[in-house]
Amino acid sequence: MATTLRITQMPKLEVLNSDIVLEVVTDGEKTGELHISKGSLDYYPANSKKKHYRVSWTKLAEILEEHGNERT
């Protein structure tokens, strides 16, 4: 399973409150988008513009510390 991330939208540095959008492509098919904002990380599955999953940066840090693989 080959997964690539492609930046599909990048705000100008002067623009506040604009998300960075990463397109997630697995085996050549779009599987979703990650929307990175000041307050959270949102994941939109490929065929859904309304349904999405949101996690705050604080909660993401907790999840990664608990379930991630520590690297040095």
Side-chain angles (χ1 to χ4, degrees):
M1 176 188 309
T3 302
T4 57
L5 292 176
R6 187 176 312 131
I7 297 174
T8 59
Q9 176 185 346
M10 184 85 171
K12 295 179 182 179
L13 293 176
E14 312 84 56
V15 178
L16 300 175
N17 303 323
S18 291
D19 292 354
I20 295 173
V21 178
L22 300 176
E23 186 176 85
V24 182
V25 178
T26 303
D27 295 331
E29 288 193 41
K30 182 177 176 178
T31 54
E33 290 181 352
L34 288 173
H35 290 232
I36 302 169
S37 69
K38 291 192 300 186
S40 64
L41 177 69
D42 294 352
Y43 176 72
Y44 290 80
N47 296 319
S48 177
K49 286 296 179 189
K50 293 184 180 179
K51 177 181 176 184
H52 65 282
Y53 303 90
R54 175 173 287 165
V55 63
S56 70
W57 291 112
T58 303
K59 184 66 175 177
L60 180 62
E62 292 172 9
I63 292 168
L64 291 173
E65 289 174 7
E66 185 175 337
H67 299 287
N69 296 324
E70 186 175 347
R71 307 254 175 157
T72 57

